[in-house]
Coordinates of all heavy atoms in Angstrom, one line a residue:
G497 N 87.2 98.0 58.0 CA 87.3 96.8 58.8 C 87.6 95.6 57.8 O 88.1 95.8 56.7
G498 N 87.3 94.4 58.3 CA 87.6 93.3 57.5 C 89.1 93.1 57.1 O 89.9 93.1 58.0
N499 N 89.4 93.2 55.9 CA 90.8 93.0 55.5 C 91.5 94.4 55.2 O 92.5 94.4 54.5 CB 90.9 92.1 54.3 CG 90.5 90.7 54.6 OD1 90.8 90.2 55.6 ND2 89.7 90.1 53.7
N500 N 90.9 95.5 55.6 CA 91.4 96.8 55.3 C 92.5 97.3 56.2 O 92.5 98.5 56.5 CB 90.2 97.8 55.2 CG 89.2 97.5 54.1 OD1 89.6 97.0 53.1 ND2 88.0 97.8 54.3
V501 N 93.3 96.4 56.7 CA 94.4 96.8 57.6 C 95.3 97.8 56.8 O 95.7 97.5 55.7 CB 95.2 95.6 58.1 CG1 96.4 96.1 58.9 CG2 94.3 94.7 58.9
G502 N 95.6 98.9 57.4 CA 96.5 99.9 56.8 C 95.7 100.9 56.0 O 96.3 101.9 55.5
E503 N 94.4 100.8 55.9 CA 93.6 101.7 55.1 C 92.8 102.6 56.1 O 91.9 103.4 55.6 CB 92.7 101.0 54.1 CG 93.4 100.2 53.1 CD 92.5 99.5 52.1 OE1 91.3 99.8 52.2 OE2 93.0 98.6 51.4
K504 N 93.0 102.4 57.4 CA 92.3 103.2 58.4 C 92.6 104.7 58.3 O 93.7 105.1 58.0 CB 92.6 102.6 59.7 CG 91.9 103.2 60.9 CD 92.6 104.4 61.5 CE 94.1 104.3 61.7 NZ 94.7 105.5 62.3
E505 N 91.6 105.5 58.5 CA 91.7 106.9 58.6 C 91.1 107.3 60.0 O 90.0 107.0 60.3 CB 91.0 107.7 57.5 CG 91.1 109.2 57.6 CD 90.2 109.9 56.6 OE1 89.5 109.2 55.9 OE2 90.3 111.1 56.6
V506 N 91.9 108.0 60.8 CA 91.4 108.6 62.0 C 90.6 109.8 61.7 O 91.1 110.8 61.2 CB 92.5 108.9 63.0 CG1 91.9 109.6 64.3 CG2 93.2 107.6 63.4
V507 N 89.3 109.8 62.0 CA 88.5 111.0 61.7 C 88.1 111.8 62.9 O 87.6 112.9 62.7 CB 87.2 110.5 60.9 CG1 87.5 109.8 59.6 CG2 86.3 109.6 61.8
Y508 N 88.4 111.3 64.1 CA 88.0 112.0 65.3 C 88.9 111.5 66.4 O 89.3 110.3 66.4 CB 86.5 111.9 65.6 CG 86.1 112.7 66.8 CD1 86.1 114.1 66.7 CD2 85.7 112.1 68.0 CE1 85.7 114.9 67.8 CE2 85.3 112.9 69.1 CZ 85.3 114.3 69.0 OH 84.9 115.0 70.1
Q509 N 89.2 112.3 67.4 CA 89.9 111.9 68.6 C 89.3 112.4 69.9 O 88.8 113.6 69.9 CB 91.4 112.4 68.5 CG 92.2 111.7 67.5 CD 93.6 112.1 67.5 OE1 93.9 113.3 67.7 NE2 94.5 111.2 67.2
M510 N 89.1 111.6 70.9 CA 88.7 111.9 72.2 C 89.2 110.8 73.1 O 88.8 109.7 73.0 CB 87.2 112.1 72.3 CG 86.8 112.7 73.6 SD 85.0 112.8 73.7 CE 84.5 111.3 74.5
E511 N 90.1 111.2 74.1 CA 90.7 110.2 74.9 C 89.7 109.7 76.0 O 89.1 110.5 76.7 CB 92.0 110.7 75.6 CG 92.7 109.6 76.4 CD 94.0 110.2 76.9 OE1 94.6 111.1 76.4 OE2 94.4 109.6 78.0
H512 N 89.6 108.4 76.2 CA 88.8 107.7 77.2 C 89.8 107.0 78.2 O 90.6 106.2 77.7 CB 87.9 106.7 76.7 CG 87.0 107.2 75.5 ND1 87.5 107.4 74.3 CD2 85.7 107.5 75.5 CE1 86.5 107.9 73.5 NE2 85.4 107.9 74.2
E513 N 89.7 107.3 79.5 CA 90.3 106.5 80.5 C 89.2 105.4 80.9 O 88.3 105.8 81.6 CB 90.7 107.4 81.6 CG 91.4 106.6 82.8 CD 91.9 107.5 83.9 OE1 91.9 108.8 83.7 OE2 92.1 107.0 85.0
V514 N 89.4 104.2 80.4 CA 88.4 103.2 80.6 C 88.7 102.3 81.8 O 89.8 101.7 81.9 CB 88.3 102.3 79.3 CG1 87.1 101.3 79.5 CG2 88.1 103.2 78.1

Side-chain angles (χ1 to χ4, degrees):
N499 296 319
N500 293 331
V501 175
E503 297 179 12
K504 182 270 316 180
E505 176 190 6
V506 174
V507 297
Y508 185 68
Q509 291 182 324
M510 188 180 92
E511 184 178 336
H512 309 72
E513 181 180 341
V514 184

